[in-house]
Amino acid sequence: MRITLLGTGTSQGVPVIGCTCEVCRSVDYRDKRLRVSVHLQVGGKSIIIDTGPDFRQQVLRERIRTLDALVFTHEHKDHTAGLDDIRAYNFAQHKDMPVYAEERVLGQLKKEFSYIFADYKYPGIPRVQLHTVTNQPFEVEGVPFTPIRVMHYKLPVFGYRIGDFTYITDANYISEEEKEKVKGSKVVVLNALRQEPHISHFSLQEAINLLEELQPEQAYLTHISHLLGQHREVEPQLPGFIRLGYDGLQLEL
């Protein structure tokens, strides 16, 4: 499995519009964070989890020429806003795009992208094939996925485990039962928004505490805001098995 972190930033991205803090003025490429997303190449398939506002830029940067399916964690705009750009894959691959999400999320997509689902379909709009996900294992184009229920303040969202890889973003709580699904993962990617506590995201210390409990071989932090600090200053302070993710980081499993 090849894992590529397409984006590791929070909803505003980094740099933040109008901000002049040290992180936003940084020239370190690792401090330039697009909205959060991940690309998986596994079992001969190309799968992306979440299509944020930067989706087009991300797939062009990584030269992702084929895409077999999309999987969504939840319905917030920084995870869904780029859905329209899948039409390039529709045209190139001559097929509808399989989209996997829970029923609530699919309902929100139907509202936000109503033209995709209209009775009269304007020529050239994205074409999708919807698949409803519940908190039970499922397959994406033959690739096994295990959903992991986490809480994003009061909003239930899904993380996913694919083989030895677990991806969780936009979370600030995970139950003991759901933690069991994560244990044994070789690599975990987990959100860590900032240094201070937040109402709907793990802080840096909360993420570290959880990862020390789960004990993967390697962990990477994502969904990072400019309030976490500069990459070069924060990463040396982390436990040895934890690293900061950055846009374009590739992992092999």
Side-chain angles (χ1 to χ4, degrees):
M1 184 191 314
R2 174 174 288 179
I3 302 152
T4 304
L5 300 184
L6 299 179
T8 56
T10 187
S11 58
Q12 295 184 86
V14 183
V16 175
I17 292 172
C19 183
T20 59
C21 75
E22 287 187 351
V23 177
C24 289
R25 289 186 290 109
S26 171
V27 296
D28 188 338
Y29 70 93
R30 297 171 300 178
D31 289 324
K32 311 295 184 185
R33 303 184 183 278
L34 300 178
R35 267 63 71 95
V36 69
S37 179
V38 66
H39 178 229
L40 308 176
Q41 294 168 277
V42 53
K45 298 296 182 179
S46 169
I47 301 167
I48 287 178
I49 300 178
D50 290 338
T51 59
D54 306 310
F55 174 72
R56 177 180 176 275
Q57 181 179 351
Q58 291 163 337
V59 297
L60 287 172
R61 183 193 71 210
E62 298 300 330
R63 300 179 182 178
I64 300 173
R65 295 189 173 91
T66 62
L67 184 60
D68 294 298
L70 298 175
V71 182
F72 286 99
T73 58
H74 65 297
E75 64 269 40
H76 285 168
K77 289 287 277 188
D78 57 320
H79 295 254
T80 65
L83 180 62
D84 183 83
D85 283 316
I86 65 162
R87 54 199 166 103
Y89 291 110
N90 293 146
F91 302 155
Q93 298 172 178
H94 307 289
K95 64 175 232 178
D96 295 357
M97 181 65 66
V99 172
Y100 294 78
E102 57 185 311
E103 186 173 358
R104 184 194 75 243
V105 178
L106 294 178
Q108 187 65 25
L109 293 177
K110 290 177 182 178
K111 291 179 181 178
E112 293 188 11
F113 298 93
S114 58
Y115 58 93
I116 296 178
F117 305 96
D119 292 335
Y120 171 74
K121 291 180 171 52
Y122 189 84
I125 63 172
R127 302 194 314 272
V128 299
Q129 182 186 82
L130 302 183
H131 299 269
T132 302
V133 171
T134 63
N135 197 6
Q136 296 294 328
F138 63 99
E139 290 190 352
V140 176
E141 303 299 292
V143 177
F145 272 62
T146 299
I148 300 160
R149 175 63 80 199
V150 299
M151 295 301 296
H152 182 32
Y153 185 42
K154 295 183 179 180
L155 181 70
V157 308
F158 276 141
Y160 295 104
R161 179 168 179 172
I162 308 95
D164 289 324
F165 172 65
T166 294
Y167 182 78
I168 298 173
T169 183
D170 286 58
N172 70 327
Y173 174 79
I174 177 170
S175 71
E176 295 301 319
E177 181 181 2
E178 297 297 299
K179 287 178 187 177
E180 291 300 317
K181 298 179 182 178
V182 182
K183 290 179 180 178
S185 298
K186 291 183 178 178
V187 175
V188 173
V189 173
L190 180 68
N191 66 301
L193 185 73
R194 64 187 192 186
Q195 301 282 350
E196 297 298 319
H198 188 270
I199 194 172
S200 61
H201 289 276
F202 288 125
S203 67
L204 177 60
Q205 190 58 55
E206 288 169 338
I208 290 171
N209 292 346
L210 178 56
L211 290 168
E212 288 182 332
E213 178 183 351
L214 296 172
Q215 281 295 307
E217 292 180 10
Q218 190 70 54
Y220 296 88
L221 303 179
T222 193
H223 210 292
I224 293 166
S225 83
H226 64 153
L227 300 176
L228 187 70
Q230 294 185 67
H231 192 289
R232 64 180 177 84
E233 295 179 351
V234 174
E235 185 164 90
Q237 303 174 27
L238 300 176
F241 72 101
I242 302 176
R243 293 290 179 264
L244 290 185
Y246 56 85
D247 293 15
L249 175 65
Q250 289 193 339
L251 312 169
E252 298 280 352
L253 267 180

